[in-house]
């Protein structure tokens, strides 16, 4: 072989080797870039990617249908930690509030609290200015006594589940009369049955009030707590509009007479555990503060509390159908 041919062949081989090295370098650079990009991902994204790949691989090899997989995902629920509970007087609301408050305490949630005492307001509607400010002003729960005012409450606890509780009106009024010792306030203690004496002329006692701070519970106390003033209690249109509003805006209305069944529905809605709804009854009045009610007196109470009666019957009818599986 001539020297010129040898040099030409050597240059050709050198050029070919150089090109191979360049290609190899480019491949290595691409691989290193991919690896660097993978490493630069946050651990959350990396974990999510691994889970997706693992799930897809499992479904592929096991032959599990995607519709079954979707159904299993839909059956999952996440516990609710944003709750507004509208307390109504003498309806087992203190027992219910203790359940909600215990859940918040155990899970380190933030409560909207009044400046003093345990009530935001007794007569006026709730206002966000009644809340004692702390932290960033966004709270998880509102459970103290407050008259329902959706707009102001939503400004304090956003994206919340709204719940309340009702009781059959004759039981509720008799309980309130005894627990708050209205017989003493209204100077009826001398009667054998002070509650029956009150129901002889309830209009007069409501008008006098005697500077009794819970006079609002003498008539339709439950619908009053839910935002309807006494001046509208005899207006059927206003009462029906309020009942429709409650039905639309509340996620659940519990019924005191079906307390345990109501709690099971609450557990389902909030996706809580059974331990979360265990309870001990609170604020039980003494035996001497209980009064006998016959059928005639019961009917008179229901007429006097017609707004509460309409509300309890309307909401209770729907709720009882939801409780039937738990009987």
């Amino acid at each position: 072989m001539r020297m010129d041919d040898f040099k030409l062949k050597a240059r050709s081989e050198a050029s070919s080797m150089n090109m191979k090295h360049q290609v190899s370098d480019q491949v290595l650079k691409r691989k290193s870039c991919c690896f660097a990009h993978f490493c630069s991902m946050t651990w959350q994204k990396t974990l999510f990617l691994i889970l997706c790949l693992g799930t897809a691989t499992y479904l592929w090899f096991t032959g599990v249908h995607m519709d079954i997989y979707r159904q299993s995902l839909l059956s999952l629920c996440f516990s609710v930690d944003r709750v507004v509970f509208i307390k109504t007087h003498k309806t087992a609301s203190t027992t219910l509030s203790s359940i909600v408050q215990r859940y918040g305490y155990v899970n380190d949630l933030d409560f909207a609290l009044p400046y003093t005492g345990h009530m935001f307001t007794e007569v006026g509607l709730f206002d966000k200015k009644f809340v004692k400010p702390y932290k960033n002003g966004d709270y998880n729960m509102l459970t103290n006594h407050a008259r329902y005012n959706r707009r102001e409450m939503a400004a304090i606890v956003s994206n919340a589940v709204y719940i309340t509780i009702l009781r059959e009106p004759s039981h509720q009024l008799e309980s309130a009369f005894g627990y708050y010792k209205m017989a003493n306030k209204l100077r009826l203690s001398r009667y054998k049955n002070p509650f029956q004496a009150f129901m002889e002329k309830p209009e007069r006692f409501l008008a006098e009030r005697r500077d009794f701070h819970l006079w609002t519970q003498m008539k339709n106390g439950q619908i009053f707590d839910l935002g309807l003033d006494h001046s509208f209690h005899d207006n059927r249109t206003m009462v029906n509009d309020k009942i429709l509003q409650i039905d639309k805006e509340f996620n659940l209305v519990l019924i005191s007479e079906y307390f345990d069944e109501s709690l099971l529905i609450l557990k389902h809605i909030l996706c809580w555990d059974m331990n979360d709804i265990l309870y001990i009854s609170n604020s039980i009045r003494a035996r001497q503060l209980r009064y006998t009610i016959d059928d005639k007196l019961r009917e008179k109470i229901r007429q006097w509390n017609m707004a509460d009666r309409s509300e309890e019957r309307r909401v209770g009818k729907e709720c009882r159908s939801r409780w039937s599986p738990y009987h």
Side-chain angles (χ1 to χ4, degrees):
M1 181 182 294
R2 291 183 305 173
M3 184 60 66
D4 292 339
D5 293 337
F6 179 80
K7 290 181 179 180
L8 182 62
K9 184 177 180 180
R11 287 173 184 173
S12 177
E13 291 179 355
S15 177
S16 177
M17 290 291 294
N18 187 37
M19 289 179 65
K20 289 181 179 180
H21 283 298
Q22 289 179 358
V23 171
S24 178
D25 289 343
Q26 290 177 1
V27 171
L28 288 174
K29 286 181 180 180
R30 288 176 182 175
K31 290 182 178 180
S32 63
C33 286
C34 293
F35 181 75
H37 177 70
F38 180 80
C39 293
S40 65
M41 292 172 62
T42 61
W43 69 268
Q44 294 98 330
K45 291 182 179 180
T46 304
L47 179 60
F48 178 74
L49 178 61
I50 294 172
L51 288 174
C52 289
L53 292 174
T55 302
T57 303
Y58 174 79
L59 293 175
W60 177 269
F61 283 103
T62 59
V64 177
H65 296 291
M66 289 302 295
D67 57 342
I68 299 177
Y69 181 62
R70 284 194 210 94
Q71 290 176 7
S72 64
L73 288 178
L74 291 174
S75 65
L76 298 175
C77 67
F78 300 92
S79 58
V80 175
D81 60 3
R82 306 184 77 83
V83 178
V84 173
F85 170 46
I86 305 301
K87 286 193 69 178
T88 47
H89 290 79
K90 303 316 299 172
T91 59
S93 64
T94 300
T95 300
L96 182 54
S97 67
S98 69
I99 293 173
V100 179
Q101 290 167 357
R102 183 186 64 219
Y103 181 89
Y105 177 79
V106 170
N107 291 277
D108 196 26
L109 303 179
D110 295 326
F111 287 84
L113 298 173
Y115 281 89
T116 59
H118 67 283
M119 300 179 70
F120 284 103
T121 176
E122 296 177 1
V123 179
L125 296 176
F126 175 83
D127 192 296
K128 60 185 178 183
K129 67 183 179 182
F130 298 155
V131 177
K132 185 176 182 180
Y134 71 97
K135 292 190 174 181
N136 60 359
D138 186 26
Y139 307 92
N140 295 99
M141 292 186 170
L142 191 158
T143 60
N144 290 65
H145 271 296
R147 287 189 67 208
Y148 181 58
N149 187 353
R150 183 56 174 258
R151 179 179 296 180
E152 293 294 303
M153 290 175 170
I156 295 297
V157 185
S158 59
N159 302 316
V161 168
Y162 282 74
I163 62 174
T164 189
I165 185 168
L166 299 178
R167 187 178 183 182
E168 194 279 322
S170 64
H171 290 146
Q172 188 272 339
L173 181 59
E174 183 271 328
S175 179
F177 187 90
Y179 186 83
Y180 298 122
K181 300 180 180 179
M182 292 187 187
N184 296 335
K185 301 291 183 179
L186 302 175
R187 302 175 187 176
L188 295 172
S189 300
R190 65 184 184 275
Y191 291 94
K192 183 179 180 180
N193 189 335
F195 182 60
Q196 187 173 2
F198 165 76
M199 285 305 304
E200 291 297 326
K201 296 181 180 179
E203 301 90 349
R204 180 171 69 87
F205 292 108
L206 180 62
E208 291 180 357
R209 299 179 185 174
R210 304 241 181 222
D211 297 325
F212 179 39
H213 73 285
L214 282 172
W215 65 268
T216 57
Q217 295 303 307
M218 292 184 190
K219 182 179 183 181
N220 295 313
Q222 298 175 86
I223 203 167
F224 176 81
D225 291 335
L226 290 168
L228 188 66
D229 290 337
H230 282 87
S231 58
F232 302 116
H233 288 186
D234 295 324
N235 186 324
R236 290 299 183 96
T237 301
M238 294 292 292
V239 170
N240 290 334
D241 288 345
K242 170 55 69 171
I243 293 172
L244 290 175
Q245 179 194 16
I246 294 169
D247 187 43
K248 177 181 177 181
E249 296 182 359
F250 279 77
N251 299 91
L252 178 64
V253 178
L254 295 85
I255 296 293
S256 178
E257 286 78 9
Y258 296 87
F259 192 71
D260 291 339
E261 294 91 334
S262 298
L263 285 180
L264 290 175
I265 299 296
L266 180 67
K267 169 186 172 294
H268 175 74
I269 291 176
L270 300 181
C271 197
W272 289 1
D273 295 328
M274 186 61 72
N275 288 338
D276 296 326
I277 62 172
L278 300 179
Y279 68 92
I280 298 176
S281 298
N282 294 328
S283 297
I284 301 176
R285 58 197 161 119
R287 186 179 299 275
Q288 62 268 25
L289 298 176
R290 299 173 184 270
Y291 302 100
T292 303
I293 303 176
D294 57 25
D295 292 340
K296 183 178 179 180
L297 181 56
R298 189 179 311 280
E299 185 58 32
K300 190 172 184 178
I301 297 170
R302 288 175 175 175
Q303 292 296 324
W304 172 244
N305 287 272
M306 183 54 69
D308 273 0
R309 177 62 173 164
S310 300
E311 176 189 27
E312 188 267 342
R313 292 179 68 182
R314 167 68 179 86
V315 177
K317 183 178 180 181
E318 178 181 348
C319 290
R320 288 185 187 98
S321 65
R322 301 172 66 181
W323 301 325
S324 57
Y326 298 94
H327 284 173

